[in-house]
Structure formats: structure tokens, C-alpha cells
Amino acid sequence: PQLRAVRWPDCEYGSHSWELVVTVDHQHEEVQKEFLLRVTGDLHIGGVMLKLVEQIKKSQDWSDYALWWEQKKCWLLKTHWTLDKCGVQADAKLFFTTQHKMLRLRLPNMKTVRLKVSFSSMVFKAVSDICKILNIRRSEELSLLKQSEDTLKKKKKKDKNSKEPVTEDILNLCNSPVSSGLSGSPGLYSKTMTPVYDPISGTPASSTITWFSDSPLTEQNCSILAFSHPNCSPETLAEMYQPRTLADKAKLNAGWLDSSRSLMEQGILEDDQLLLRFKYYTFFDLNPKYDAVRINQIYEQARWAILLEEIDCTEEEMLIFAALQYHVSKLSLSSEAQDFTCESEVDEVEAALSNLEVTLEGGNASNILEDITDIPKLADNLRLVRPRKLSLKAIKPYWFVFKDTSVSYFKNKESAQGEPIEKINLKGCEIVPDVNVAAKKFGIKLLIPVADGMNEVYLRCDNETQYARWMAACVLASKGKTMADSSYHPEVHKILSFLKMKNWTMSPQAVSDPESIDMKPECFVSLRYTKKYKSKQVRQYSGLAARILEAHQNVSQMTLVEAKLHFIQAWQSLPEFGLSYYIVRFKGSKKDDVLGVSYNRLIRIDIATGDPITTWRFSNMKQWNVNWEIRQVAIEFDQNVSIAFTCLSADCKIIHEYIGGYIFLSTRSKDQNETLDEDLFHKLTGGQE
């Protein structure tokens, strides 16, 4: 809609007054859309709106309306500011419209919900309100993503070829309190009013169903959000965007909205579709008692990342993910999982909740007090492998000693009292698993930063237990932590449980299970593995289905929530987990590189080979800032290390916000309540553009 401001001749109306034309967004056909207001520069915004409503002469609730300045792309929300202070002059185009508008959101489980969202609040606040409607705690971990044209092209091409119109099933939540423009009930975030779910099946406990009916999350809607639904067909999977290269993966992260600006300021229109996704991969305080929707949506985001190969995994790992998906699918469809449980049953399982919690750092703090004056150490026979460019790998046995954050190796145990052959400090290294359980291969790949890139060193262990202890020690050391840290033992346990899932043998019962006859294995793996097994499949239970059923034996006794949490844990164990990619040009470089942003580090990656070049940890970061004129991000680290780069695949503000967001999330603790310091978030992420 066009808005006009007309300045009249001074002699006719006085030297300081002028006419302003404001377009009103309303649904009354008999009422005009454009109104002329006689204003002066010292009239405040509230006065303008009052004059406007008086002229409209239509009785309705105007409380959600505000003035939008079209040319400046900004809301005039400070009603006590004058037109002069705002800079509104005769040529201003103002639009009087509602602040809350309908928006379609595609959730991680690929379901679309339609709800009213504030188009005038900062996106950080809008996401918080959305999560209250959907009953997802820790809204700071999520954000809104606009799909890039490249990722939509494939889908549009398929839609043109299809003769039948595609009708999307949309869940309408427009009757919610937050959607109606009212402030959401704080009870959704309080411990006393948070809906309680059965930790076994994920359904709402009976005591909370009564108040569910008053919210948009009725029993049926809750089920849609908290349960995993039947898997899609390979044909549907083939229609979806699948990144093939690091450059393709960078396109996935280009569309994050600016958390410090409103939807309207970023060109989002009423009834547009956005993706609601977990942006920050630090899932804090996951609790099955309160987080059925949150756990399911994280599981779904992980599941689609695996199926669409947004993250790489080995064939062995793909089969584990397939087995867990198959198990979740079976339980979600079974009547047992859908039965609502009584409160007494919920009380009985509360004691087991601590075992189900998942945290990125490795679980709950151990109750056993560690003697920090005596840091534990590991000492054992391992094999060292150093790749050589022009010859075979040299594999030699040595006596290894792990202490503090360093690993040293000696010729043998007897010489361990003297000087080591080499001492490797693992702080800042990249630690990558090199495991094939079926082949009894338990390796740890160490990528050690040097002046011109990364040196590769492999440690080979003899068995699962030895591997788990050394791998956990290496992972902690890379973060600057020792084995005395309380997360060491949970990390060992997590690695062992993942290895156990990988270690399976075929049971005759798996083949005779009547439910497994209807299994569609291609629904649980990426297209690459479907194609690989298709040519090999000879009889009904050979090939892919048999492999998935073999792997399923190790997870078949898990409850629904346990299976989802194990899937999330296995996803977290992948080397590429939590990395968001951007194409950048480093200052002084003549070629493009990929920058991986993770919850605790930045990684410079060779765009051609995918090999890590350098790693910088947030724990060593002193400061970061942006030169907005040349759109360059500059970061200073300890020991006089500094880097600067421009971002080519997205706005540099996105990377700036990612870094600040992860720093902000690292300040959370379980002791504080779930209210967030929103001002601190904007200080760390907003920049001074």
C-alpha cells in the first residue's frame, strides 16, 4: 500500500503544520484505507495514532496496531517520541497495521504449524513466544531460518512435474494466548506449571491433560509435536535438497534471521513460511519429564540431518541410526506407547530420569569427589600410526602415558622414567574416531595444529574398553580439561554404550518377528545406502533389511524416549556434529576457505579436500568485532594470534551472532531459573552496525 505525506502552502495552514497521509490495514470494506492527518513535528507518535483512530470512527480493539515506516523499514514503537525525534517528515510513508500476524512455521519434524507471531518484536523474543506455544523449553537454542532459493529449486522442479496438486497438512494454532497478541502465560516456563510427560512413552501425564485443553496444545496437537510419525518414502527423500559438497552445506546456514531485528524489518510478510530449527547445538538440561516435544524435535532434526546427508557418518553408524529409527517408528505406532499413564506410574520412573538426561559435555556431574591434587593418568601399550605421502603407513607399538592434557610415548614401559620420544599437547587438537567394530578396529585420529595446517597422528587401541578410556581422555584434553574433570567417566560410559550398539550378531528371532516382515528399510537410511544395497539384495531378508534388524537387536529393549535420547547421543558422537559451515575469504589469502562454527571452536577447512587446516577455541578468545563498512569479522586469541575474514556465502552478521550466541549459552547454569538475560544476548550478538 502506498502512503503519502503532503506539505501544504505555509500561508494557508501556518509555517509548522503539514498533512500526513497514513494507510490503515483493516478488514472493513465500507471504511476508507487512507486518512489525512494534520500534524506538527512536535506531535508524539501516540498522538498520531490517537488522531488516526478518532478519524476512522470504527469501534474495534486497536491495541495491537502500530505505525510502520515503509521507507526506513522500521516500527515506530516509542509512542512518547515526537515525529521530529523519529525523523518523520513530509515524504514519510506510514502504515497503521497489526503487530501480530499469521506465520507458517516448518518444524524439525517437517510438520507445518500456523500461528500468530509478533512481527514487531525482535526475533529472539518472537522465538521465545513461539516456543511457549509449542511447549519447547530453552527457546534460546532455536531460531528462524529462511530457506535459500538454491535449496528450494529442486522441490519446485518436482512440483511442476507432478500432475496432482500437493496439499500440505497444516496444524492451526492461531487460538493460542500468545498468538492472539496477548502475553504468554509465564506458567509454561515455571517448574510448577510445566506439562509433565511420561518419561517412558512421552505422553502428557493425566494431571496435566486437564489444562492442556485450554491451550492450543490439546492432547491431539501435543501428540503431533511429541511423537515421531511414519517415515517418508525414498521418492519423497529424493525430492528434498541434499548437500553434496561443503559449499552446498554452507547454503543451508545462509538464511538465519537476525535475532536483534523484527520479522517485518527483515522483509518477512504475513503468512510466509519459515523454518524453526535448533540453531545452537548445546542442548541444555534435557529432561524427559518436561521435554517430550523438545526431545522429539531434536531427534527429528538429527534424523533428517542423517537421512539427507547434511552430516557424514560411516555405514556402520548409518545402520545404528536406522535401527533406532525403526525402533522409534514401531513404538510410536504401537498402542502401548499411546496409552496415557497415571500419576503413580510417573512417580515410579522419576528415579530413573537422571540416567536419561543428555548433555553435550558428557552428562551429569559425578557425585564422587575427585582429589584434584592427584590428576589421574593413563598408561598402556598402544600402536602409533603416522601417514606418509609416498609410502605405506608406519605402524609401531609404544608405551603411552596420558597426563594432564598431553600424551607422551616411550620405546617401552621400562624407559618411561626418562625423556619421551615425543610429547603431544592435545589442547586445541581435533579428535576424530576411526572405528570399525565389526573389523575390531579401534583408532583415534589426532589432528595437531602446526604452522602450515594440521599434522595427522593415529593411535590404535586393542579393545573397546581401552579405546573408550583413551578416547574420552583425548576429547576432554582437546577442550583443555583433564581426566579429573567430572565429565570424564560419563564420557567413557557414553562411548562404550555407542560401541555396544554397533556390536551385533544376527538372531533368528529377528527374522521371524512378524512385524519386521512389513519393514521398509529404504525409509531409514540415506539414498546413497539404499542404492548401494539395492543391487546386492537377493532374497527377502538379505541386504539392507537384514543388517538393520541385526543392529536392532541391541536396541530392541529401549523405551521410546530412551531410543530418541540414544539417537541424539549417537548424533553428538559424530565428528562433524554441531558444525555450521560458511564460505569465507581470510585476510591475506587468495583463495576461498570454509569456516566451521561449533559450540566451542572455529575450524578453517580446505574447501577442495574438506581437511581441517587450523582450529581456534572460544576458550582462548580475547575479543571479536566486525568492521561493518567492509563487512569483515576480526577475532583476537591468546598468544597474539589474530584472524580476520569476510563471509561470502552469508551476511557476516550471521557468523558474528553465532559466536556471540555460543558464548551467551555457555553462561547458563541449572541453578538459575529459566528466565534469560535478553540484554546480555543482544550485547554479545547484536554488534554495533
Side-chain angles (χ1 to χ4, degrees):
Q2 294 297 312
L3 309 164
R4 299 193 313 278
V6 183
R7 189 176 289 281
W8 292 83
D10 293 346
C11 58
E12 193 176 341
Y13 286 101
S15 60
H16 299 297
S17 64
W18 38 283
E19 293 280 354
L20 177 69
V21 177
V22 182
T23 303
V24 180
D25 176 23
H26 62 70
Q27 304 302 316
H28 309 291
E29 289 182 11
E30 71 281 5
V31 181
Q32 67 195 73
K33 296 273 184 180
E34 289 189 353
F35 291 85
L36 281 102
L37 299 179
R38 181 88 172 279
V39 297
T40 56
D42 58 1
L43 180 65
H44 53 75
I45 298 297
V48 174
M49 293 196 293
L50 188 62
K51 271 179 176 267
L52 190 59
V53 170
E54 285 171 353
Q55 275 203 34
I56 295 170
K57 294 177 184 175
K58 194 73 186 175
S59 176
Q60 76 169 66
D61 182 4
W62 297 100
S63 60
D64 190 41
Y65 277 68
L67 288 169
W68 167 256
W69 189 352
E70 185 64 32
Q71 296 108 314
K72 298 278 186 181
K73 297 288 180 195
C74 70
W75 290 93
L76 301 177
L77 298 176
K78 293 179 178 173
T79 52
H80 59 287
W81 279 27
T82 64
L83 291 172
D84 281 346
K85 190 171 182 180
C86 291
V88 175
Q89 295 179 347
D91 60 346
K93 295 178 180 178
L94 300 185
F95 190 44
F96 193 51
T97 184
T98 52
Q99 296 175 67
H100 288 78
K101 301 177 186 293
M102 296 307 293
L103 189 68
R104 288 176 298 130
L105 292 177
R106 199 157 201 213
L107 305 183
N109 67 347
M110 299 299 178
K111 294 286 178 187
T112 301
V113 296
R114 192 168 178 267
L115 68 174
K116 263 192 180 173
V117 176
S118 172
F119 273 58
S120 62
S121 301
M122 290 182 185
V123 164
F124 186 84
K125 176 69 169 62
V127 170
S128 174
D129 289 342
I130 289 165
C131 287
K132 284 176 184 174
I133 298 172
L134 302 178
N135 192 36
I136 298 174
R137 290 193 313 145
R138 303 292 177 186
S139 64
E140 66 275 13
E141 295 168 359
L142 298 94
S143 193
L144 299 174
L145 183 67
K146 190 175 183 178
Q147 273 186 294
S148 69
E149 289 300 315
D150 290 320
T151 60
L152 288 168
K153 274 177 189 172
K154 188 171 184 182
K155 195 176 179 185
K156 283 180 181 174
K157 195 176 177 183
K158 292 282 180 182
D159 289 346
K160 281 181 184 176
N161 297 336
S162 61
K163 292 175 183 175
E164 293 180 21
V166 180
T167 54
E168 191 175 16
D169 185 24
I170 296 177
L171 177 64
N172 207 324
L173 299 178
C174 58
N175 297 323
S176 65
V178 179
S179 289
S180 307
L182 307 170
S183 61
S185 162
L188 277 167
Y189 265 23
S190 70
K191 288 289 182 189
T192 53
M193 284 294 287
T194 301
V196 176
Y197 298 90
D198 178 355
I200 304 299
S201 68
T203 54
S206 55
S207 59
T208 60
I209 290 172
T210 50
W211 69 265
F212 252 128
S213 57
D214 297 328
S215 94
L217 275 184
T218 57
E219 187 179 315
Q220 181 187 358
N221 292 347
C222 168
S223 173
I224 290 170
L225 300 179
F227 277 99
S228 185
H229 296 274
N231 291 47
C232 73
S233 66
E235 291 75 29
T236 308
L237 204 60
E239 290 174 16
M240 301 174 80
Y241 179 77
Q242 295 174 55
R244 299 294 180 207
T245 63
L246 280 174
D248 289 344
K249 289 179 182 180
K251 290 173 187 173
L252 298 171
N253 297 296
W256 289 111
L257 296 191
D258 186 337
S259 297
S260 301
R261 295 163 65 212
S262 69
L263 290 170
M264 199 96 151
E265 288 169 322
Q266 299 180 68
I268 306 302
L269 304 175
E270 183 162 18
D271 226 30
D272 275 359
Q273 177 164 292
L274 296 173
L275 309 181
L276 179 70
R277 293 289 184 269
F278 289 88
K279 176 179 180 179
Y280 299 101
Y281 295 89
T282 48
F283 311 124
F284 189 71
D285 186 28
L286 271 184
N287 189 329
K289 189 177 179 183
Y290 304 110
D291 289 329
V293 175
R294 183 176 168 218
I295 288 170
N296 186 59
Q297 296 299 330
I298 294 173
Y299 161 75
E300 286 286 346
Q301 187 161 325
R303 187 170 79 85
W304 284 104
I306 299 291
L307 290 176
L308 297 173
E309 296 194 79
E310 291 171 11
I311 184 169
D312 291 337
C313 65
T314 64
E315 184 175 335
E316 199 170 47
E317 288 160 346
M318 181 64 80
L319 292 168
I320 288 293
F321 288 123
L324 286 164
Q325 285 179 76
Y326 172 59
H327 189 61
V328 168
S329 179
K330 272 179 71 174
L331 291 182
S332 298
L333 292 170
S334 69
S335 57
E336 290 82 15
Q338 303 287 354
D339 287 339
F340 290 116
T341 55
C342 65
E343 284 180 65
S344 61
E345 288 172 316
V346 175
D347 293 336
E348 285 172 19
V349 295
E350 259 190 68
L353 287 176
S354 59
N355 296 328
L356 294 173
E357 287 199 13
V358 180
T359 61
L360 197 60
E361 292 295 335
N364 298 330
S366 172
N367 293 326
I368 303 165
L369 290 173
E370 303 273 8
D371 180 6
I372 57 172
T373 58
D374 181 26
I375 293 173
K377 70 175 186 179
L378 290 173
D380 215 338
N381 282 306
L382 303 176
R383 281 159 294 153
L384 180 75
V385 185
R386 282 191 182 278
R388 292 178 178 173
K389 288 182 180 177
L390 301 173
S391 63
L392 296 172
K393 292 178 180 178
I395 305 175
K396 289 185 179 180
Y398 292 102
W399 180 256
F400 281 81
V401 175
F402 198 112
K403 190 161 187 182
D404 294 327
T405 58
S406 298
V407 61
S408 307
Y409 60 93
F410 306 83
K411 191 174 180 180
N412 49 45
K413 187 176 180 179
E414 290 69 33
S415 59
Q417 301 304 318
E419 284 294 311
I421 298 169
E422 187 181 7
K423 184 177 181 180
I424 305 168
N425 188 350
L426 297 184
K427 193 175 179 182
C429 291
E430 288 296 306
I431 313 297
V432 183
D434 181 32
V435 175
N436 185 324
V437 176
K440 299 294 180 189
K441 177 186 176 184
F442 304 102
I444 303 168
K445 182 179 177 181
L446 308 177
L447 293 166
I448 304 151
V450 289
D452 58 344
M454 295 277 211
N455 275 350
E456 278 186 26
V457 175
Y458 291 79
L459 304 183
R460 287 278 171 85
C461 302
D462 294 327
N463 52 54
E464 291 98 324
T465 308
Q466 189 186 52
Y467 168 79
R469 290 165 62 205
W470 283 81
M471 183 67 179
C474 290
V475 167
L476 262 63
S478 71
K479 300 173 187 174
K481 297 178 180 179
T482 70
M483 289 165 59
D485 191 88
S486 59
S487 61
Y488 173 69
H489 292 294
E491 184 71 22
V492 173
H493 177 73
K494 190 170 84 173
I495 293 167
L496 281 171
S497 66
F498 191 34
L499 290 176
K500 187 183 174 187
M501 282 195 288
K502 288 183 176 184
N503 190 13
W504 63 75
T505 52
M506 187 59 175
S507 144
Q509 187 187 346
V511 176
S512 61
D513 181 0
E515 287 184 34
S516 67
I517 294 170
D518 297 327
M519 179 196 186
K520 293 177 180 173
E522 63 275 10
C523 295
F524 303 108
V525 297
S526 66
L527 286 173
R528 185 156 54 96
Y529 287 105
T530 301
K531 289 172 185 172
K532 180 181 176 181
Y533 276 90
K534 228 171 191 178
S535 56
K536 292 181 180 179
Q537 202 152 342
V538 180
R539 59 181 192 277
Q540 192 177 6
Y541 284 103
S542 65
L544 188 54
R547 296 297 305 278
I548 294 172
L549 291 171
E550 285 171 19
H552 181 249
Q553 293 304 294
N554 279 352
V555 301
S556 59
Q557 300 308 308
M558 290 180 185
T559 65
L560 184 58
V561 174
E562 276 180 324
K564 287 178 184 177
L565 289 175
H566 274 84
F567 192 101
I568 294 166
Q569 277 185 325
W571 177 47
Q572 289 174 324
S573 300
L574 297 177
E576 287 184 19
F577 167 75
L579 281 173
S580 302
Y581 299 102
Y582 293 93
I583 299 172
V584 299
R585 174 73 63 89
F586 278 89
K587 188 177 180 180
S589 175
K590 292 182 179 178
K591 67 183 188 73
D592 298 346
D593 285 302
V594 170
L595 185 74
V597 183
S598 181
Y599 74 100
N600 61 356
R601 68 202 191 281
L602 300 173
I603 309 175
R604 183 177 182 176
I605 302 167
D606 187 298
I607 197 168
T609 64
D611 294 334
I613 299 169
T614 319
T615 297
W616 303 278
R617 299 218 162 242
F618 292 159
S619 55
N620 300 329
M621 191 163 62
K622 289 164 73 175
Q623 67 172 29
W624 76 101
N625 56 65
V626 180
N627 182 331
W628 295 109
E629 286 182 18
I630 57 173
R631 318 298 286 181
Q632 186 181 75
V633 182
I635 309 174
E636 281 184 39
F637 297 92
D638 292 339
Q639 298 173 334
N640 297 318
V641 174
S642 60
I643 60 171
F645 56 83
T646 51
C647 188
L648 306 177
S649 62
D651 193 300
C652 66
K653 171 66 170 67
I654 294 178
I655 294 184
H656 173 74
E657 185 176 307
Y658 245 127
I659 296 169
Y662 274 126
I663 301 295
F664 172 75
L665 295 183
S666 69
T667 65
R668 297 181 295 180
S669 72
K670 285 190 182 181
D671 300 332
Q672 60 190 177
N673 58 24
E674 290 176 33
T675 55
L676 288 167
D677 187 344
E678 200 171 324
D679 289 339
L680 177 62
F681 176 84
H682 291 302
K683 277 179 188 172
L684 289 169
T685 63
Q688 303 299 319
E689 195 168 354

